[in-house]
């Protein structure tokens, strides 16, 4: 019988409250999502479900992606980088929501975290939308 681990919601280490992820963080290099302080075991798998929304409330989806991270050694921190192409570049202003599912290596039932939401904007104060070439 495996012990049920309470999953912490994902975090955005480079989030700048209250603005969230902005052009300052250069999202064209990807946006880092981190899951921390959980005793992951080698062989566990984390599936990140990411939705980029064109509104701040997470209602209007512009792009979605699933990213799988296979854990190779016991750890308490797992990072996933949300890609730019086809995902982050689909939104100009809005939000990013992320949750993840842990599939334990011991074959016990997968568990899903609560979602996290962060504001997202590629608009500069002057109104220009920035990307890797601007």
């Amino acid at each position: 019988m495996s012990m049920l681990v309470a999953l912490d919601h994902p975090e955005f280490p480079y989030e700048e409250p209250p603005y969230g992820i902005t052009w300052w963080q250069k999202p064209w290099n990807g946006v880092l999502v981190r899951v921390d302080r959980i005793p992951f075991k080698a062989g566990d798998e984390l599936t990140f479900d990411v939705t980029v929304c064109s509104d701040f409330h997470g209602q209007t989806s512009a792009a979605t992606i699933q990213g799988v991270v296979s854990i190779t050694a016991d750890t308490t921190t797992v990072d996933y980088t949300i890609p730019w192409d086809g995902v982050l570049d689909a939104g100009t202003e809005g939000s990013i929501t992320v949750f993840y599912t842990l599939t334990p290596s011991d074959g016990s039932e997968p568990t899903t975290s609560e979602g996290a939401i962060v504001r997202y904007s590629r608009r500069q104060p002057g109104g220009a939308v920035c990307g890797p070439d601007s």
Side-chain angles (χ1 to χ4, degrees):
M1 184 79 187
S2 71
M3 198 175 73
L4 193 63
V5 176
L7 298 184
D8 198 15
H9 59 80
E11 295 165 23
F12 298 91
Y14 297 110
E15 178 183 357
E16 302 257 338
Y19 306 107
I21 302 292
T22 67
W23 60 279
W24 278 107
Q25 280 86 38
K26 300 184 171 63
W28 45 92
N29 294 329
V31 168
L32 184 68
V33 180
R34 175 167 291 159
V35 179
D36 214 1
R37 299 180 302 275
I38 298 173
F40 297 113
K41 298 280 177 226
D44 288 355
E45 206 170 73
L46 261 69
T47 302
F48 288 87
D49 281 272
V50 178
T51 305
V52 175
C53 298
S54 52
D55 65 324
F56 290 123
H57 308 292
Q59 303 297 315
T60 311
S61 171
T64 59
I65 191 170
Q66 263 196 344
V68 177
V69 176
S70 298
I71 296 166
T72 54
D74 291 5
T75 182
T76 57
T77 303
V78 175
D79 287 344
Y80 171 69
T81 301
I82 303 170
W84 169 254
D85 288 330
V87 186
L88 292 168
D89 63 353
T92 301
E93 237 173 350
S95 57
I96 303 169
T97 58
V98 180
F99 67 89
Y100 63 94
T101 301
L102 166 62
T103 305
S105 58
D106 65 10
S108 55
E109 280 297 302
T111 49
T112 299
S113 74
E114 287 182 42
I117 187 166
V118 66
R119 287 175 69 106
Y120 174 59
S121 176
R122 297 195 286 129
R123 212 174 277 287
Q124 293 179 348
V129 174
C130 52
D133 307 318
S134 55

